[in-house]
Amino acid sequence: MKKFIQFFKNFSLVEKSALLCFLLPPVGISLLLIIGLRTLYTQWFINKRFIYSFSSYFFLCLFISTIGAALLFRNILFLLVSIMILGYWGIYCRILVTEKGQLFQRFRMIIIFGGVYSCVIGWISKWFVFPKIVGYLLGTVLFGEVEPKNFNRLIGCAYNPNFTVFILLIAISFLFASLLSSFERKHYINLAWQLPIQLLLSYGIYLTGSRAGFATMILIYLLFIFRLNRIFFFVCTIIGLFFSKWLLYIMPRADSVIQAGHKRLDIWKNAYTIWKNHPFFGVTPIGFGQEYAIQYGHFIPHAHNLMLGMFAEYGTLGGLAFITLISINIVKCIHLFFFERSKQCFFNSFLLGLPIILFTGVFDEPVFSPQIGFLSVIMLGCWDRYSKRMQFNIEISAIQGKFISVYGSTARLVVSSYMIFHYLKSKFISNKY
């Protein structure tokens, strides 16, 4: 116990707050928000320093979008999202400037612990009903809607099974990276604790009842096998395709797949319409549910698709910035995959963990939750810190050997795309009338 307390004392404030995001989610989220805002104040107003990276420009675009939406809708509550964006941005800057090198190593341990804890506290909350206020402090209450009768899905510590499954998937990906490291270094004794935890987390994903989480887990398993052995990967892929009907049969809530698909499609169409009606700055995450209720008569909190959510909630400015951020990081992953061979354990963690943000974002929007949002930002900051050491320039032969920074080119791409969209829209309106 003393060793554990001493180990916890060595954690930085960000690491302790990330851990509290599982143990006491409201406390952890509040601490990370305060740390982020204080970091930005220190960097901008005291040190007069600005972090130049495309992730920073991404947060800047989201911030501008929320300010613009607040002014257009004349809704001061939208500024709460602006403050949250500044908190995300501040945590990102703190990771690049202040945090020590072992942050990601400890963050992986925190996430794996958080995954196991989510399963355990979720099961305990089924056996023992906590008082309502305690449930909100622990994250075991289904937040935002009345809990239906006979609700058997695992809520965990994230207020929603679809958010909990994100935590479990990240934990699985980090554990798979540790498994790859154990196989590479022939430390087979580590498998004695890694494999049971992996099975526990996989079972937890199944109990969340998330169909998208189940499908993502299959993909992560295949990606792990691909990194382990290419031949075995192709064999497993063929077997998986052969038994695809069986996989669909064992999928959680498989009997309602078609019904859920139609419902998701309707939400996506309506989210697209909301973006089309508010193309520049969107309606913010707070305004999405309000706008949806006004236009369609019932409340839906978010778009249930990360890409559509970005455009509907943050407008074209935020949506294009998000697309460009994804594009840049895909190129960085490809570059590291083929040309960099150092710190494979860390790279495997990113390679297996980062795609989960996109995979789970196809049918849901887990980063809508500040709890998930802060954890994702920490991972993004660690990724940018890890990948910034490589030489990342693109050579264009037509410019006689000059090197163009990917970040500069991408910024131009965003501005150009936005101007083209605005021009086409004005042409369409003029032709229409």
Side-chain angles (χ1 to χ4, degrees), residues 250-279:
I250 66 171
M251 177 185 291
R253 300 184 296 152
D255 55 339
S256 58
V257 170
I258 297 177
Q259 179 184 357
H262 288 308
K263 185 177 180 180
R264 284 286 195 274
L265 188 60
D266 290 338
I267 294 174
W268 295 345
K269 289 179 181 178
N270 296 337
Y272 173 77
T273 302
I274 290 175
W275 168 58
K276 191 169 65 173
N277 294 337
H278 308 281

CSV table of all heavy atoms in Angstrom, one decimal, residues 250-279:
chain,number,residue,atom,x,y,z
A,250,ILE,N,-23.5,-13.2,-32.7
A,250,ILE,CA,-23.1,-13.0,-31.3
A,250,ILE,C,-22.9,-11.5,-30.9
A,250,ILE,O,-22.6,-11.2,-29.8
A,250,ILE,CB,-21.8,-13.8,-31.0
A,250,ILE,CG1,-20.6,-13.2,-31.8
A,250,ILE,CG2,-21.9,-15.2,-31.3
A,250,ILE,CD1,-19.2,-13.7,-31.4
A,251,MET,N,-23.0,-10.6,-31.9
A,251,MET,CA,-22.9,-9.2,-31.7
A,251,MET,C,-24.0,-8.8,-30.6
A,251,MET,O,-25.1,-9.2,-30.7
A,251,MET,CB,-23.1,-8.4,-33.0
A,251,MET,CG,-23.0,-6.9,-32.8
A,251,MET,SD,-23.4,-6.0,-34.3
A,251,MET,CE,-21.9,-6.4,-35.2
A,252,PRO,N,-23.6,-7.9,-29.7
A,252,PRO,CA,-24.6,-7.4,-28.7
A,252,PRO,C,-25.8,-6.8,-29.4
A,252,PRO,O,-25.6,-6.0,-30.4
A,252,PRO,CB,-23.8,-6.4,-27.9
A,252,PRO,CG,-22.4,-6.7,-28.1
A,252,PRO,CD,-22.3,-7.3,-29.5
A,253,ARG,N,-27.0,-7.1,-28.9
A,253,ARG,CA,-28.2,-6.5,-29.4
A,253,ARG,C,-28.3,-6.7,-31.0
A,253,ARG,O,-28.8,-5.8,-31.7
A,253,ARG,CB,-28.3,-5.0,-29.1
A,253,ARG,CG,-28.3,-4.8,-27.6
A,253,ARG,CD,-28.5,-3.3,-27.2
A,253,ARG,NE,-27.4,-2.5,-27.7
A,253,ARG,CZ,-27.5,-1.2,-28.1
A,253,ARG,NH1,-28.7,-0.6,-28.0
A,253,ARG,NH2,-26.5,-0.6,-28.5
A,254,ALA,N,-27.9,-7.9,-31.4
A,254,ALA,CA,-28.0,-8.1,-32.9
A,254,ALA,C,-29.4,-8.1,-33.5
A,254,ALA,O,-29.5,-7.8,-34.7
A,254,ALA,CB,-27.3,-9.5,-33.2
A,255,ASP,N,-30.4,-8.3,-32.6
A,255,ASP,CA,-31.7,-8.4,-33.1
A,255,ASP,C,-32.3,-7.0,-33.5
A,255,ASP,O,-33.3,-6.9,-34.2
A,255,ASP,CB,-32.6,-9.0,-32.1
A,255,ASP,CG,-32.6,-8.3,-30.7
A,255,ASP,OD1,-31.5,-7.6,-30.5
A,255,ASP,OD2,-33.5,-8.4,-29.9
A,256,SER,N,-31.6,-5.9,-33.1
A,256,SER,CA,-32.1,-4.6,-33.4
A,256,SER,C,-31.1,-3.8,-34.3
A,256,SER,O,-31.2,-2.6,-34.3
A,256,SER,CB,-32.3,-3.8,-32.1
A,256,SER,OG,-31.1,-3.7,-31.3
A,257,VAL,N,-30.3,-4.5,-35.0
A,257,VAL,CA,-29.3,-3.8,-35.9
A,257,VAL,C,-30.0,-3.0,-37.0
A,257,VAL,O,-29.6,-1.8,-37.2
A,257,VAL,CB,-28.3,-4.9,-36.5
A,257,VAL,CG1,-27.5,-4.2,-37.6
A,257,VAL,CG2,-27.4,-5.5,-35.4
A,258,ILE,N,-31.0,-3.6,-37.6
A,258,ILE,CA,-31.6,-2.9,-38.8
A,258,ILE,C,-32.4,-1.7,-38.2
A,258,ILE,O,-32.3,-0.6,-38.8
A,258,ILE,CB,-32.6,-3.9,-39.5
A,258,ILE,CG1,-31.7,-5.0,-40.1
A,258,ILE,CG2,-33.4,-3.1,-40.6
A,258,ILE,CD1,-32.6,-6.1,-40.8
A,259,GLN,N,-33.1,-1.9,-37.1
A,259,GLN,CA,-33.8,-0.8,-36.5
A,259,GLN,C,-32.9,0.4,-36.1
A,259,GLN,O,-33.2,1.5,-36.4
A,259,GLN,CB,-34.6,-1.3,-35.3
A,259,GLN,CG,-35.5,-0.2,-34.7
A,259,GLN,CD,-36.2,-0.7,-33.4
A,259,GLN,OE1,-36.1,-1.9,-33.1
A,259,GLN,NE2,-36.9,0.1,-32.7
A,260,ALA,N,-31.8,0.0,-35.5
A,260,ALA,CA,-30.8,1.0,-35.1
A,260,ALA,C,-30.2,1.7,-36.2
A,260,ALA,O,-29.9,2.9,-36.2
A,260,ALA,CB,-29.8,0.4,-34.2
A,261,GLY,N,-30.0,0.9,-37.3
A,261,GLY,CA,-29.4,1.5,-38.5
A,261,GLY,C,-30.3,2.6,-39.1
A,261,GLY,O,-29.8,3.7,-39.6
A,262,HIS,N,-31.6,2.3,-39.2
A,262,HIS,CA,-32.5,3.3,-39.7
A,262,HIS,C,-32.6,4.5,-38.9
A,262,HIS,O,-32.7,5.7,-39.4
A,262,HIS,CB,-33.9,2.7,-39.8
A,262,HIS,CG,-34.1,1.7,-40.9
A,262,HIS,ND1,-33.7,1.9,-42.3
A,262,HIS,CD2,-34.5,0.4,-40.9
A,262,HIS,CE1,-33.9,0.9,-43.0
A,262,HIS,NE2,-34.4,-0.1,-42.2
A,263,LYS,N,-32.5,4.3,-37.5
A,263,LYS,CA,-32.6,5.5,-36.6
A,263,LYS,C,-31.3,6.3,-36.8
A,263,LYS,O,-31.4,7.6,-36.8
A,263,LYS,CB,-32.7,5.0,-35.2
A,263,LYS,CG,-32.9,6.1,-34.2
A,263,LYS,CD,-33.0,5.5,-32.8
A,263,LYS,CE,-33.2,6.6,-31.7
A,263,LYS,NZ,-33.4,6.1,-30.4
A,264,ARG,N,-30.2,5.7,-36.9
A,264,ARG,CA,-28.9,6.4,-37.1
A,264,ARG,C,-29.0,7.2,-38.4
A,264,ARG,O,-28.6,8.4,-38.5
A,264,ARG,CB,-27.7,5.5,-37.1
A,264,ARG,CG,-27.3,4.9,-35.8
A,264,ARG,CD,-26.6,6.0,-35.0
A,264,ARG,NE,-25.9,5.4,-33.9
A,264,ARG,CZ,-26.4,5.2,-32.7
A,264,ARG,NH1,-27.6,5.4,-32.5
A,264,ARG,NH2,-25.6,4.6,-31.7
A,265,LEU,N,-29.5,6.6,-39.5
A,265,LEU,CA,-29.6,7.3,-40.8
A,265,LEU,C,-30.4,8.5,-40.7
A,265,LEU,O,-30.1,9.5,-41.3
A,265,LEU,CB,-30.1,6.3,-41.8
A,265,LEU,CG,-30.1,6.7,-43.3
A,265,LEU,CD1,-28.6,7.0,-43.7
A,265,LEU,CD2,-30.7,5.7,-44.2
A,266,ASP,N,-31.5,8.4,-40.0
A,266,ASP,CA,-32.4,9.6,-39.8
A,266,ASP,C,-31.7,10.7,-39.0
A,266,ASP,O,-31.8,11.9,-39.4
A,266,ASP,CB,-33.7,9.2,-39.0
A,266,ASP,CG,-34.6,8.3,-39.9
A,266,ASP,OD1,-34.5,8.4,-41.1
A,266,ASP,OD2,-35.4,7.6,-39.3
A,267,ILE,N,-30.9,10.3,-38.0
A,267,ILE,CA,-30.2,11.3,-37.2
A,267,ILE,C,-29.1,12.0,-38.1
A,267,ILE,O,-28.9,13.2,-38.1
A,267,ILE,CB,-29.5,10.7,-36.0
A,267,ILE,CG1,-30.6,10.2,-35.0
A,267,ILE,CG2,-28.6,11.7,-35.3
A,267,ILE,CD1,-30.1,9.4,-33.8
A,268,TRP,N,-28.4,11.2,-38.9
A,268,TRP,CA,-27.4,11.7,-39.8
A,268,TRP,C,-28.0,12.7,-40.8
A,268,TRP,O,-27.4,13.8,-41.1
A,268,TRP,CB,-26.7,10.6,-40.5
A,268,TRP,CG,-25.9,9.7,-39.6
A,268,TRP,CD1,-25.6,9.9,-38.3
A,268,TRP,CD2,-25.4,8.4,-39.9
A,268,TRP,NE1,-24.9,8.9,-37.8
A,268,TRP,CE2,-24.7,7.9,-38.7
A,268,TRP,CE3,-25.4,7.6,-41.1
A,268,TRP,CZ2,-24.1,6.7,-38.7
A,268,TRP,CZ3,-24.7,6.4,-41.0
A,268,TRP,CH2,-24.1,5.9,-39.8
A,269,LYS,N,-29.1,12.4,-41.4
A,269,LYS,CA,-29.8,13.3,-42.4
A,269,LYS,C,-30.2,14.6,-41.7
A,269,LYS,O,-30.0,15.7,-42.3
A,269,LYS,CB,-31.0,12.6,-43.0
A,269,LYS,CG,-30.7,11.4,-43.9
A,269,LYS,CD,-32.0,10.8,-44.4
A,269,LYS,CE,-31.7,9.6,-45.4
A,269,LYS,NZ,-33.0,9.0,-45.8
A,270,ASN,N,-30.7,14.5,-40.5
A,270,ASN,CA,-31.1,15.7,-39.8
A,270,ASN,C,-29.9,16.5,-39.3
A,270,ASN,O,-30.0,17.7,-39.4
A,270,ASN,CB,-31.9,15.3,-38.6
A,270,ASN,CG,-33.2,14.6,-38.9
A,270,ASN,OD1,-33.7,14.8,-40.1
A,270,ASN,ND2,-33.8,13.8,-38.0
A,271,ALA,N,-28.8,15.8,-39.0
A,271,ALA,CA,-27.6,16.5,-38.6
A,271,ALA,C,-27.0,17.3,-39.8
A,271,ALA,O,-26.5,18.4,-39.7
A,271,ALA,CB,-26.6,15.6,-38.0
A,272,TYR,N,-27.1,16.6,-41.0
A,272,TYR,CA,-26.6,17.3,-42.2
A,272,TYR,C,-27.5,18.6,-42.5
A,272,TYR,O,-26.9,19.6,-42.9
A,272,TYR,CB,-26.7,16.3,-43.4
A,272,TYR,CG,-26.4,17.0,-44.7
A,272,TYR,CD1,-25.1,17.3,-45.1
A,272,TYR,CD2,-27.4,17.3,-45.6
A,272,TYR,CE1,-24.8,17.9,-46.3
A,272,TYR,CE2,-27.2,17.9,-46.8
A,272,TYR,CZ,-25.9,18.2,-47.1
A,272,TYR,OH,-25.6,18.8,-48.3
A,273,THR,N,-28.8,18.4,-42.3
A,273,THR,CA,-29.7,19.6,-42.5
A,273,THR,C,-29.3,20.7,-41.5
A,273,THR,O,-29.3,21.9,-41.9
A,273,THR,CB,-31.1,19.1,-42.3
A,273,THR,OG1,-31.4,18.1,-43.2
A,273,THR,CG2,-32.1,20.3,-42.6
A,274,ILE,N,-29.0,20.4,-40.3
A,274,ILE,CA,-28.6,21.4,-39.3
A,274,ILE,C,-27.4,22.1,-39.7
A,274,ILE,O,-27.3,23.3,-39.6
A,274,ILE,CB,-28.5,20.7,-37.9
A,274,ILE,CG1,-29.8,20.3,-37.3
A,274,ILE,CG2,-27.8,21.7,-36.9
A,274,ILE,CD1,-29.7,19.5,-36.0
A,275,TRP,N,-26.4,21.3,-40.2
A,275,TRP,CA,-25.2,22.0,-40.7
A,275,TRP,C,-25.5,22.9,-41.9
A,275,TRP,O,-24.9,24.0,-42.0
A,275,TRP,CB,-24.1,20.9,-41.1
A,275,TRP,CG,-23.0,21.5,-41.8
A,275,TRP,CD1,-22.1,22.5,-41.5
A,275,TRP,CD2,-22.6,21.1,-43.1
A,275,TRP,NE1,-21.2,22.7,-42.4
A,275,TRP,CE2,-21.4,21.9,-43.5
A,275,TRP,CE3,-23.0,20.1,-44.1
A,275,TRP,CZ2,-20.8,21.7,-44.7
A,275,TRP,CZ3,-22.3,20.0,-45.3
A,275,TRP,CH2,-21.2,20.8,-45.6
A,276,LYS,N,-26.3,22.4,-42.8
A,276,LYS,CA,-26.7,23.1,-44.0
A,276,LYS,C,-27.4,24.4,-43.7
A,276,LYS,O,-27.2,25.5,-44.3
A,276,LYS,CB,-27.6,22.3,-44.9
A,276,LYS,CG,-27.8,22.9,-46.3
A,276,LYS,CD,-28.4,21.9,-47.3
A,276,LYS,CE,-29.8,21.6,-46.8
A,276,LYS,NZ,-30.6,20.7,-47.8
A,277,ASN,N,-28.1,24.4,-42.6
A,277,ASN,CA,-28.8,25.7,-42.1
A,277,ASN,C,-27.9,26.6,-41.4
A,277,ASN,O,-28.2,27.8,-41.3
A,277,ASN,CB,-30.0,25.3,-41.2
A,277,ASN,CG,-31.1,24.6,-42.0
A,277,ASN,OD1,-31.2,24.7,-43.2
A,277,ASN,ND2,-31.9,23.8,-41.3
A,278,HIS,N,-26.8,26.1,-40.8
A,278,HIS,CA,-25.8,26.9,-40.1
A,278,HIS,C,-24.4,26.5,-40.5
A,278,HIS,O,-23.7,25.9,-39.8
A,278,HIS,CB,-26.0,26.7,-38.6
A,278,HIS,CG,-27.4,26.9,-38.1
A,278,HIS,ND1,-28.0,28.1,-37.9
A,278,HIS,CD2,-28.4,25.9,-37.8
A,278,HIS,CE1,-29.2,27.9,-37.5
A,278,HIS,NE2,-29.5,26.7,-37.4
A,279,PRO,N,-24.1,26.8,-41.8
A,279,PRO,CA,-22.9,26.3,-42.4
A,279,PRO,C,-21.5,26.8,-41.8
A,279,PRO,O,-20.5,26.2,-41.9
A,279,PRO,CB,-23.0,26.6,-43.9
A,279,PRO,CG,-23.9,27.8,-43.9
A,279,PRO,CD,-24.8,27.7,-42.7
